[in-house]
Amino acid sequence: MMVSDIMQKRFGIMKSGVLVLCVLLALTGNGCTEPDTEKVIPDACPDLGLLVTQADVTDTLDPYGRPIVTGNVFPASAKAIFLVFSLSDDMCCKTLNVRWFQNSQLDPIQIEDNLHAQFPIKLTLRAPAEGFMPGEYHVSIYVDLWERLSLPFVII
């Protein structure tokens, strides 16, 4: 007797056919793998909740670019004021901008746009040749058009 005759007597014609089909599919591998699908990049931006997690203003940095002394009062004799900050995540589809302001003026005294630096980010406001003018200053960090953090400081 042939195998098909034994299967038909044991399982019946319909069940035997299904069993043979399953065995053939398992042997050839057809229908057992996931179909090829096109990789789709999501439209949603993963950095929508991007936050400034650490930010310091200082006039002195260690050799690794980290603030030595942080605060918000600096002497007019300082050669530069540094902003050192980190973000909660890497950016992929947002724009990072920083604006330095003096004495509550509307126009910034220095603009740093489209920053794409390694983290933490270190930015510098250099003193003019005659030194910093005493007064109130602040530096603002923007992600796209929204201000995420503003740090006030004073030059005396």
Side-chain angles (χ1 to χ4, degrees):
M1 276 183 136
M2 296 193 60
V3 173
S4 62
D5 292 334
I6 295 171
M7 288 178 57
Q8 284 180 7
K9 285 183 181 179
R10 175 101 171 136
F11 300 110
I13 293 176
M14 184 63 105
K15 288 181 182 178
S16 296
V18 170
L19 182 61
V20 169
L21 181 61
C22 288
V23 170
L24 287 175
L25 286 175
L27 291 175
T28 61
N30 292 335
C32 295
T33 60
E34 286 189 30
D36 291 335
T37 57
E38 185 177 323
K39 302 277 186 213
V40 177
I41 298 173
D43 291 335
C45 181
D47 53 10
L48 289 176
L50 193 67
L51 300 172
V52 178
T53 56
Q54 176 71 34
D56 293 304
V57 180
T58 185
D59 62 346
T60 54
L61 297 172
D62 71 9
Y64 301 102
R66 296 177 300 211
I68 293 174
V69 177
T70 60
N72 64 351
V73 178
F74 305 105
S77 61
K79 301 292 183 208
I81 303 297
F82 304 100
L83 170 65
V84 181
F85 67 98
S86 297
L87 301 174
S88 59
D89 203 354
D90 290 331
M91 296 187 326
C92 71
C93 56
K94 295 289 183 185
T95 304
L96 181 65
N97 304 300
V98 172
R99 305 282 190 268
W100 299 82
F101 296 91
Q102 178 182 7
N103 294 328
S104 300
Q105 294 177 3
L106 295 177
D107 294 326
I109 55 174
Q110 184 170 311
I111 298 172
E112 301 178 69
D113 282 337
N114 299 321
L115 301 170
H116 296 287
Q118 295 294 334
F119 299 116
I121 298 172
K122 179 189 67 119
L123 302 174
T124 307
L125 177 64
R126 301 214 181 275
E130 62 278 0
F132 282 112
M133 180 181 291
E136 295 179 4
Y137 292 73
H138 73 275
V139 58
S140 296
I141 302 170
Y142 298 85
V143 176
D144 283 343
L145 301 175
W146 294 276
E147 184 178 289
R148 294 298 175 121
L149 185 68
S150 183
L151 295 170
F153 61 97
V154 177
I155 304 288
I156 55 171

